[in-house]
Amino acid sequence: ALRRLKGLGKKQAEDERASTERFLRQVLDASPDIIYIYNLNDGSNEYNNPELLNVLGYTPSQLTTMESGAIARLLHPDDLAALQQRNDGLAGSPIGTVNAGEIRILHADGNYRWLRARETLLEVDSEAKPTRILGVAQDITRRRQMEIAQRETVQRLTLMRRVDIELLRPLDLQGALSVAMDAALRVT
């Protein structure tokens, strides 16, 4: 797009740039996933697309105007260390490095939502320290709830099987008959 703009007059270039920006805004707004730019230096979200409202119940402006570090308070306490480790792992990495993981974030309704986030290193400072990341996050809450329900069902079935085996053990008639026959043979 920049090469095309260089060959145009100033007015044409401005029109082309405005058209490109409108197109990109439409793409971002149409995404079914949350798209964000996160500042690692101050812990703030610099950009969020409108899907944030549907997934987490916050407007983009609510998150971008939160004070520094407020985003971290929305994370589930059990996920903070893993997220910090992922972000620390970007140190010294080239721009474009991708990391991914699953986190829980507090919805505006007070419940946590599971998100699968895929983040790309967008900017580093002069010392190659990561400063900004571009992220795309999908709501995977239903999938995680189904996985938890499946694990719980397997645990219940395993327990029921153990109980069933223990209850049936005394009713082992063939075994009881064998023991009785052995005892009868010893008596004679």
Side-chain angles (χ1 to χ4, degrees), residues 78-124:
D78 294 344
D79 297 338
L80 281 170
L83 181 62
Q84 187 62 49
Q85 185 177 0
R86 272 202 324 266
N87 289 340
D88 290 346
L90 290 172
S93 298
I95 291 175
T97 299
V98 176
N99 71 27
E102 295 180 0
I103 55 172
R104 289 164 285 184
I105 297 185
L106 190 64
H107 188 282
D109 69 8
N111 294 305
Y112 283 97
R113 299 295 195 275
W114 279 97
L115 299 178
R116 168 122 176 98
R118 182 176 162 89
E119 299 173 330
T120 303
L121 183 56
L122 193 59
E123 183 180 274
V124 297

